[in-house]
Amino acid sequence: MPDPEAPTHHEVPPDGEPALAPITHAPIARAALRGWLFRVGFVYWIVYAGTLVLSSFDLPVLRLGNDALSWLLRTLDLWVGHHVLGLTEIAVDPTGSGDRMIDWIELAITLGLALVIGSVWAGLDRRRAHDARLRAVLRVVVRYGLGFSLLYYGVSKIVGFQFQPPSDGQLLKTWGESSPMNVLWTFIGASPAYQMFGGIAETLGGALVLFRRTTLLGALVVAGVMLNVVLLNFCYDVPVKLGSSHLLAMSIVLILPDARRLLDLLVRGRGVAPPAAPLPPVLAGRRWRIARAVVKLAVIANMLIVIGRGLRRGDDAGPPPWLAGAWLVSSFTRDGHEAVASDAARWDRLTVQAYNGELYARVRLARANGPAYGVKVDDAAHTLAFTDKAAPNAAPVTWRAARDPGDPTHLALSGAIDGHPVEIKLERFDADKLLLRSRGFHWISEAPFNR
């Protein structure tokens, strides 16, 4: 039976020499796990955030690099989709959605490559002598990729580009005819001030992460803004779930090195000391200080130029022509007979919208939405050419338009549908009289005005 008075291996013997602690492999295992996770994350975020950084440059060499990387990923995407997932058709044309099947495949491939490359790298580089410099490189790439994305989205909201005010045709729709995404777009577009506020918050966060001293503050701002954006995208089925979730994750990547200090300050109420080992600059040394400043200013200026060009491409070219707006059908005759209201082929209304220098029209039938058209106006010939957007190679349908220049509220169209002569009389809908546009803002409200 052991002597209960005898010192254990955790106690100090009488001679004052401390006993050796038992050997454990736990710290070694944790260090190896951290090294593996870091390398997997490094590869993944260098690919994802690096693509964002390359897209922010308007230089031929960098555009070529970005195109090459995109081509490589797209080739892998299609191969995996066809040969692994067994998909026969995979849409690759841009549609404005970031949640297409090919985007999910690319996410899986990028993650798979990061796991393979990171695992091999961790097995070969067990000393981890360059981790501090690698963290500095990763932080810079994530900062600039996140900053460019937030600046683009933020500025587009400030100038009112991302969410347009509801058009006349939109105001004629019912809630039930609107998709969840359309409800969100209308809600934000109806208030330019609210959209501008969101844009200012995104722009502020994007600008702050571009500088080392304000990176943490900017990342906190971005995390709060992007959490709201991610929730809106998921709750209203906006197909930018992957992109917004990655921007939120990138802000968290920038916050993680200071997570313990933030916990001490905000939760434990302790004083906060400077970081124990701040990351060195990627280009360290006195001679690189001026070079870093020049490069930073050049990169930021280039970002602003790219953002400005992108916004100009999406802006309307001049005021909308006389046809733009919503038109209600007052008379619809086919083969010389007035079509009844229940006739499925009868037009109910016509909405025309100008965007990016072109006209787009949609016909609302008696029972459902009709096709969407591209419209060409020939004022000299008094004709309107409607091209079905779903069949762009089909011959356009030409309507003869009769209108009185002194009376812009009435329009008459004559033409043919499926070989039957048709005459349509329309009256412009005055959307400015609707409550959403006419209510305005009130400092004093004696009672809630919830209609």
Side-chain angles (χ1 to χ4, degrees):
M1 183 175 181
D3 183 1
E5 300 297 328
T8 66
H9 61 279
H10 294 293
E11 297 177 340
V12 179
D15 59 2
E17 292 294 330
L20 295 177
I23 297 177
T24 175
H25 296 285
I28 299 176
R30 286 196 296 269
L33 178 61
R34 287 196 299 267
W36 176 76
L37 289 174
F38 169 69
R39 279 155 179 76
V40 171
F42 181 90
V43 175
Y44 184 86
W45 288 115
I46 285 294
V47 173
Y48 187 89
T51 303
L52 295 177
V53 173
L54 289 176
S55 66
S56 69
F57 285 92
D58 193 20
L59 299 175
V61 175
L62 295 179
R63 282 203 308 268
L64 183 63
N66 189 38
D67 293 342
L69 179 60
S70 299
W71 176 85
L72 176 61
L73 290 175
R74 184 55 47 83
T75 303
L76 290 174
D77 297 342
L78 294 175
W79 188 90
V80 170
H82 291 313
H83 296 87
V84 178
L85 301 179
L87 301 175
T88 56
E89 294 185 4
I90 304 175
V92 297
D93 294 332
T95 62
S97 171
D99 296 336
R100 300 168 299 169
M101 174 60 72
I102 197 166
D103 297 314
W104 285 96
I105 295 174
E106 185 169 304
L107 170 66
I109 290 176
T110 306
L111 182 58
L113 289 174
L115 287 170
V116 173
I117 297 174
S119 299
V120 174
W121 184 9
L124 296 176
D125 184 18
R126 298 185 178 182
R127 295 180 58 191
R128 302 172 57 190
H130 305 288
D131 278 15
R133 183 57 54 87
L134 290 173
R135 287 192 178 92
V137 172
L138 178 62
R139 192 171 178 86
V140 169
V141 175
V142 171
R143 281 171 47 207
Y144 280 89
L146 182 63
F148 172 73
S149 300
L150 267 293
L151 285 174
Y152 182 83
Y153 281 112
V155 173
S156 67
K157 290 182 177 69
I158 291 176
V159 300
F161 169 65
Q162 185 174 2
F163 300 94
Q164 300 293 324
S167 63
D168 293 0
Q170 176 67 27
L171 294 174
L172 282 171
K173 292 173 61 176
T174 66
W175 285 104
E177 294 174 324
S178 302
S179 66
M181 178 179 174
N182 188 255
V183 171
L184 176 63
W185 247 243
T186 304
F187 154 67
I188 299 180
S191 176
Y194 180 78
Q195 180 180 185
M196 185 178 295
F197 171 78
I200 291 173
E202 291 179 354
T203 303
L204 176 63
L208 289 173
V209 298
L210 296 178
F211 300 90
R212 294 180 62 203
R213 293 183 180 274
T214 58
T215 294
L216 177 58
L217 177 59
L220 291 172
V221 173
V222 172
V225 171
M226 289 310 304
L227 178 59
N228 179 60
V229 172
V230 169
L231 288 174
L232 290 174
N233 288 342
F234 274 86
C235 296
Y236 287 87
D237 193 32
V238 180
V240 200
K241 304 176 187 68
L242 285 178
S244 59
S245 297
H246 274 78
L247 295 180
L248 175 60
M250 290 166 70
S251 68
I252 295 175
V253 168
L254 296 178
I255 294 173
L256 279 178
D258 296 288
R260 188 183 298 275
R261 300 170 63 233
L262 290 172
L263 183 64
D264 287 340
L265 175 64
L266 301 176
V267 179
R268 297 172 179 171
R270 300 175 181 174
V272 179
L279 293 176
V282 175
L283 299 175
R286 180 179 302 176
R287 62 179 181 176
W288 289 108
R289 188 175 303 167
I290 297 177
R292 289 201 309 267
V294 172
V295 171
K296 178 186 291 290
L297 291 176
V299 170
I300 294 175
N302 182 83
M303 285 183 177
L304 296 178
I305 292 173
V306 172
I307 291 171
R309 289 180 178 175
L311 294 178
R312 282 202 306 271
R313 282 195 297 267
D315 196 9
D316 287 351
W322 59 267
L323 184 61
W327 299 83
L328 302 181
V329 175
S330 58
S331 175
F332 186 96
T333 61
R334 183 176 51 189
D335 295 325
H337 302 285
E338 179 72 24
V340 297
S342 59
D343 190 335
R346 187 186 189 277
W347 288 18
D348 181 68
R349 62 177 179 259
L350 172 69
T351 57
V352 183
Q353 185 175 2
Y355 178 74
N356 203 21
E358 296 186 9
L359 281 177
Y360 298 89
R362 181 175 288 276
V363 173
R364 171 71 181 184
L365 302 176
R367 298 178 182 175
N369 282 327
Y373 298 97
V375 183
K376 297 295 184 182
V377 180
D378 189 339
D379 288 324
H382 304 287
T383 59
L384 307 176
F386 281 27
T387 303
D388 193 340
K389 302 299 291 183
N393 295 326
V397 177
T398 301
W399 295 91
R400 183 165 184 81
R403 64 188 181 99
D404 183 356
D407 182 13
T409 62
H410 290 84
L411 172 67
L413 300 179
S414 57
I417 299 178
D418 297 330
H420 298 274
V422 173
E423 293 187 359
I424 308 172
K425 294 182 179 180
L426 307 99
E427 183 176 352
R428 182 183 290 278
F429 174 69
D430 188 1
D432 291 335
K433 295 181 180 179
L434 292 176
L435 192 57
L436 187 59
R437 288 188 178 176
S438 62
R439 167 62 180 171
F441 174 80
H442 297 77
W443 284 108
I444 300 175
S445 297
E446 303 297 347
F449 194 80
N450 187 6
R451 301 287 176 87

